[in-house]
Amino acid sequence: MSIVGKSIREQSISEKSISVIVADDQEIARTGLRMILDAQPDIHVVGEAGDGRRAVELARRLRPDVCLFDIRMPHLNGIDATRLLAGPDVGDPLAVVIITTFDLDEYVYEALRAGARGFLLKDAGPALLAQAIRAAAGGDALIAPSITARLLGAFAGAGPAAPPAQPIEALTDREEQILLTVARGRTNSEIAAELHISLSTVKSHIASLMTKLGVRNRVEIAMWAYETNRVKH
């Protein structure tokens, strides 16, 4: 059935696939995103919204694995929608990935602060889009050197709203290494190979970093690294 002309379309959630809702005020953009994601064997778009308010309502009702939001939407923008679903005060946050246009949107940094796990440029290819969805669904975040690190550097260069918090406990030398690799966009598998340690050890160090830094995901780990000038941008 065609989705043209529908602002929101729902389908049953498959237990074997990653459920996603897509929110963008441009119908042609939603259609394209749905086609790309539904072509993946393990990803299933379960709903669409043409504005931020409907997106939040849909997300709260369906509880998808991942929400894919544009920043610029009517009624409620992507940043505010993200904050309502994944912000610091949300007890059971949803995974949100922002998709945006770098040259036009100046609020990506704020979106990450609002709780987004990652973001993509709108000219990202299908493979990268699918990778970002899978990462978010797995409790991870896409920190691609060519995209996320570049944007984090650009926005962090303006400086945080307040001085970055100091770790509750000093970082070990190994944690400092892990911190830099996360900020540079390495996946857990890449970090394990680069530092010659096991995948479980990488995950353990990242969990320790989140605890010490008081952050919730690797996007915030990367932001902290930029804010404290550990990564030059």
Side-chain angles (χ1 to χ4, degrees):
M1 185 173 80
S2 173
I3 62 173
V4 175
K6 293 184 180 290
S7 60
I8 296 179
R9 177 174 179 259
E10 302 170 27
Q11 297 178 353
S12 60
I13 299 177
S14 170
E15 295 180 356
K16 296 182 179 180
S17 65
I18 299 168
S19 58
V20 180
I21 65 168
V22 175
D24 193 300
D25 62 336
Q26 295 184 348
E27 185 176 335
I28 191 170
R30 297 197 307 273
T31 301
L33 292 170
R34 173 187 279 275
M35 291 176 64
I36 290 171
L37 295 176
D38 277 344
Q40 304 296 319
D42 59 337
I43 299 175
H44 184 56
V45 177
V46 297
E48 299 176 31
D51 65 74
R53 186 178 302 158
R54 296 294 296 276
V56 171
E57 293 172 353
L58 191 65
R60 285 174 170 169
R61 179 157 53 87
L62 294 182
R63 301 293 302 178
D65 296 312
V66 181
C67 302
L68 182 63
F69 288 171
D70 185 22
I71 282 186
R72 295 189 170 182
M73 295 187 289
H75 304 307
L76 191 70
N77 64 44
I79 297 173
D80 291 336
T82 298
R83 188 174 293 111
L84 289 173
L85 297 172
D89 298 328
V90 178
D92 187 16
L94 290 171
V96 179
V97 173
I98 295 292
I99 187 162
T100 185
T101 303
F102 178 70
D103 291 336
L104 298 177
D105 294 317
E106 300 175 356
Y107 305 108
V108 177
Y109 189 72
E110 287 83 353
L112 295 178
R113 279 294 187 200
R117 285 189 181 170
F119 55 83
L120 299 171
L121 303 183
K122 283 194 173 180
D123 60 359
L128 193 57
L129 176 59
Q131 182 184 352
I133 295 298
R134 294 186 184 106
D140 211 333
L142 182 72
I143 311 280
S146 62
I147 297 179
T148 311
R150 167 190 165 198
L151 291 172
L152 282 171
F155 286 95
Q166 294 303 305
I168 60 174
E169 183 182 339
L171 304 186
T172 66
D173 290 342
R174 180 63 87 185
E175 287 169 346
E176 289 281 2
Q177 288 181 304
I178 299 288
L179 176 75
L180 294 180
T181 57
V182 169
R184 289 171 178 149
R186 304 296 192 268
T187 64
N188 285 355
S189 296
E190 290 170 340
I191 294 171
E194 183 175 327
L195 300 182
H196 306 290
I197 57 179
S198 69
L199 190 59
S200 62
T201 299
V202 174
K203 293 179 179 178
S204 177
H205 282 308
I206 290 178
S208 178
L209 279 170
M210 288 191 286
T211 298
K212 289 184 177 182
L213 302 180
V215 302
R216 300 187 303 171
N217 54 56
R218 63 198 297 137
V219 171
E220 293 180 2
I221 290 176
M223 291 172 67
W224 189 87
Y226 279 100
E227 291 174 350
T228 55
N229 295 317
R230 281 168 165 77
V231 180
K232 303 303 178 183
H233 46 77

